[in-house]
Amino acid sequence: MKYIDEFNDPDLARRLLDEIHATATRPWALMEVCGGQTHSIIRHGIDQLLPEQVELIHGPGCPVCVTPLEVVDKALEIAARPGVIFCSFGDMLRVPGTDRDLFRVKGEGGDVRVVYSPLDALELARRTPDREVVFFAIGFETTAPANAMTVHQARRLGLTNFSLLVSHVRVPPAIEAIMTAPECRVQGFLAAGHVCSVMGTAEYPELAERFRVPLVVTGFEPLDILEGIRRAVRQLERGEHRVENAYPRAVREGGNPAAVRMIEEVFEVTNRNWRGIGPIPLSGWRLTEAFRAFDAEHRFDVTAIRTEEPAECRAGEVLQGLIKPTECAAFGTTCTPRTPLGATMVSSEGACAAYYLYRRMNAATPQAAREEMNPVA
């Protein structure tokens, strides 16, 4: 296939769905790791078109959602300081901290700016040498190369007024944490295609073998997801547990070697706390000693932050796949995109936001979705 509309072909979707229905003979629970996949699944009603034996569990694959509350509060503290220009992607502005968000800090006079690339923040630092420019560097392996390259460039240019507030997380340790949790029901994974396009698939065979689960690298278009589900169900029915690449147009086994080298030069693996989930060993990155001068957390001495999550927010359970968003009593009532209690409601990749946008009234039934058919239109 050459064009994006071919990945929305309803005839191909029906054929894939028919094959999934014909293949599944037992109950199987699959987790899609990426929040982009979650939105595609809910938007197109893919989960409602699957056989009743196949359940999709939404995983912690939203980078905004898993950014720790204490890091969000550190961002708020730094952004409110005089002389600071705090730069972030737009989806972080409404993420609630303990008592406010970056949008409110901006409204109260803080110089908070939305940028489209970390290089925009770097250029801002170059043009305003009398101001401290901080970029909020969050995300999975997908965004790490650009952030690493930016701080590498800052050192080359000799910029002393630029820093990163780093909260990078890694997918493989999260999969391990999910599989070792006592309440885990996951029997297979749709692995995040964009992450694997950077890092490759080398870290996954050991996980597939140790936990005896299929890991199918999957894209984000409806046919990508259906093909990933088809392959995962086929493996489960055959008693197989291996890594399959169902996203070959973007993913190679070795990933992007140049991007990996840049990450390894600038970042080092560290323990990381995940919002709503808790600490996961070796699941994050921080700046290496060679680049520690660009670490905003140390530059602004915001290491002692106390946080508190709203008691009524069950976003942590959503992120762990323990409940669906609609099972939270606050969903759509006290928690909406305008008044979010947790990051899963405000992020463009959050599961709660997906359900609110596409299924808030719970009007679509599986039969109605099939009759509308096209889940991919």
Side-chain angles (χ1 to χ4, degrees):
M1 290 186 284
K2 299 179 181 179
Y3 306 107
I4 198 67
D5 58 351
E6 293 178 88
F7 292 92
N8 292 342
D9 187 298
D11 292 328
L12 287 176
R14 288 189 186 96
R15 286 162 55 188
L16 285 169
L17 281 165
D18 288 344
E19 187 165 346
I20 294 168
H21 277 261
T23 303
T25 64
R26 287 171 284 173
W28 302 116
L30 306 177
M31 174 177 280
E32 82 276 2
V33 174
C34 180
Q37 293 170 343
T38 300
H39 269 251
S40 187
I41 288 165
I42 302 305
R43 177 185 178 187
H44 299 294
I46 291 172
D47 58 326
Q48 296 182 316
L49 292 157
L50 295 173
E52 62 180 11
Q53 297 98 320
V54 179
E55 177 188 2
L56 294 181
I57 299 174
H58 314 312
C62 165
V64 172
C65 303
V66 301
T67 300
L69 180 57
E70 61 266 25
V71 176
V72 175
D73 281 356
K74 288 172 184 178
L76 300 172
E77 169 70 19
I78 294 170
R81 294 191 183 185
V84 170
I85 301 174
F86 194 89
C87 300
S88 173
F89 296 139
D91 53 2
M92 287 301 301
L93 262 66
R94 292 302 305 275
V95 174
T98 296
D99 56 10
R100 53 182 175 167
D101 55 29
L102 283 169
F103 194 76
R104 177 171 293 185
V105 170
K106 182 177 177 66
E108 293 171 349
D111 194 344
V112 178
R113 306 191 190 185
V114 174
V115 295
Y116 297 96
S117 162
L119 291 173
D120 294 340
L122 186 67
E123 175 61 18
L124 188 58
R126 191 188 65 80
R127 290 191 284 106
T128 55
D130 58 328
R131 305 282 297 278
E132 286 282 347
V133 178
V134 181
F135 179 72
F136 203 175
I138 73 157
F140 289 93
E141 294 93 331
T142 315
T143 56
N147 292 335
M149 180 183 66
T150 301
V151 76
H152 190 278
Q153 183 80 343
R155 187 177 70 169
R156 188 184 70 82
L157 295 172
L159 294 178
T160 59
N161 65 324
F162 177 79
S163 58
L164 299 180
L165 180 61
V166 179
S167 185
H168 276 300
V169 288
R170 303 172 57 237
V171 168
I175 291 177
E176 181 173 4
I178 289 165
M179 291 307 301
T180 54
E183 61 275 23
C184 176
R185 297 188 299 111
V186 178
Q187 296 164 291
F189 287 91
L190 305 182
H194 289 167
V195 168
C196 293
S197 70
V198 175
M199 303 302 295
T201 59
E203 294 182 274
Y204 293 99
E206 188 274 334
L207 292 169
E209 180 63 30
R210 176 153 49 111
F211 297 111
R212 305 184 67 80
V213 293
L215 279 151
V216 181
V217 180
T218 308
F220 302 85
E221 298 300 324
L223 293 186
D224 287 326
I225 293 169
L226 288 171
E227 173 63 6
I229 294 168
R230 185 188 72 84
R231 293 193 188 199
V233 171
R234 183 178 61 184
Q235 279 200 49
L236 289 166
E237 289 283 340
R238 293 176 176 177
E240 299 173 351
H241 47 274
R242 54 190 171 84
V243 176
E244 279 192 77
N245 182 8
Y247 197 35
R249 69 183 186 276
V251 173
R252 302 292 181 269
E253 183 179 357
N256 184 327
V260 172
R261 284 195 299 270
M262 180 60 68
I263 291 171
E264 291 176 345
E265 179 180 352
V266 174
F267 294 118
E268 62 186 11
V269 172
T270 186
N271 300 333
R272 181 69 71 189
N273 193 38
W274 293 49
R275 186 169 190 170
I277 298 175
I280 301 178
L282 305 178
S283 66
W285 279 311
R286 65 182 179 187
L287 291 168
T288 64
E289 187 63 36
F291 292 90
R292 197 61 49 83
F294 297 95
D295 189 334
E297 186 172 341
H298 292 280
R299 180 177 293 194
F300 293 93
D301 191 24
V302 287
T303 55
I305 295 287
R306 295 183 178 181
T307 62
E308 185 177 354
E309 293 274 13
E312 64 270 38
C313 180
R314 301 181 68 186
E317 294 169 84
V318 172
L319 287 168
Q320 295 175 74
L322 301 178
I323 65 169
K324 296 291 193 289
T326 49
E327 295 177 64
C328 175
F331 175 83
T333 55
T334 57
C335 183
T336 70
R338 287 184 176 272
T339 58
L341 295 177
T344 50
M345 179 58 85
V346 72
S347 169
S348 60
E349 294 189 6
C352 295
Y355 274 72
Y356 189 92
L357 284 171
Y358 306 122
R359 204 169 294 167
R360 178 161 56 102
M361 303 308 294
N362 201 28
T365 64
Q367 182 59 37
R370 289 191 182 93
E371 289 173 356
E372 289 182 6
M373 191 67 184
N374 185 356
V376 294

